[in-house]
Amino acid sequence: MQDRLEGGCQCGGVRLTLDGPPLDAPAFCHCRMCQKATGAPVAAFGTWPSDRIAWRGEPAWYRSSHLADRAFCPACGGPLGMRMTATPDQFDVLLAVLDEPGRVRPTHHIWWESRQDWLAIDDGLPKHARGAPKG
């Protein structure tokens, strides 16, 4: 992966530039909150320090639970990612909003217990019932 990635919402009203690699291994999330926030059965995320993200245009924010605030475009409504309340100095970017999403590949699945059983996934990646194990 190169050091700089760019992406944004569908209408282009909110753009972001990411400097450097993600903090940890990107993941596919199957939790119900991500499903409802994206309208998809699974969301792919990578986490970057907030100070390595440059925004062009201002995202709007929605407190989706006591755990997270979700960013989206105020014009087109396109989801961009989320900030966990426990780690406000980090931002989880939805990888599909990147201009070149194939440059960051998820390495595991989290919240597998909430997956939609009508979506067959046989990618050989580790699957964690809830969040990824620590360590």
Side-chain angles (χ1 to χ4, degrees):
M1 185 184 93
Q2 296 175 1
D3 286 344
R4 179 164 283 183
L5 294 165
E6 294 192 15
C9 66
Q10 187 172 4
C11 75
V14 179
R15 299 279 302 159
L16 54 91
T17 300
L18 308 170
D19 282 321
L23 288 173
D24 52 19
F28 289 110
C29 184
H30 298 267
C31 80
R32 288 296 292 144
M33 283 188 290
C34 285
Q35 291 171 4
K36 289 181 178 242
T38 64
V42 61
F45 283 102
T47 303
W48 275 265
S50 296
D51 64 359
R52 290 195 351 228
I53 302 173
W55 294 95
R56 289 184 305 281
E58 285 293 320
W61 294 89
Y62 171 70
R63 168 68 45 106
S64 59
S65 73
H66 69 284
L67 299 174
D69 295 309
R70 297 197 180 250
F72 61 95
C73 173
C76 70
L80 299 162
M82 68 180 179
R83 177 177 55 216
M84 302 298 292
T85 54
T87 53
D89 59 336
Q90 300 173 9
F91 185 73
D92 297 329
V93 176
L94 284 163
L95 299 179
V97 306
L98 297 175
D99 294 342
E100 299 176 82
R103 289 179 47 199
V104 183
R105 299 179 75 83
T107 63
H108 60 282
H109 294 265
I110 58 174
W111 293 98
W112 187 250
E113 70 183 17
S114 301
R115 76 190 178 282
Q116 297 303 310
D117 62 3
W118 43 259
L119 177 65
I121 298 175
D122 188 22
D123 57 15
L125 297 176
K127 296 167 178 69
H128 308 287
R130 293 185 175 225
K134 303 289 181 211

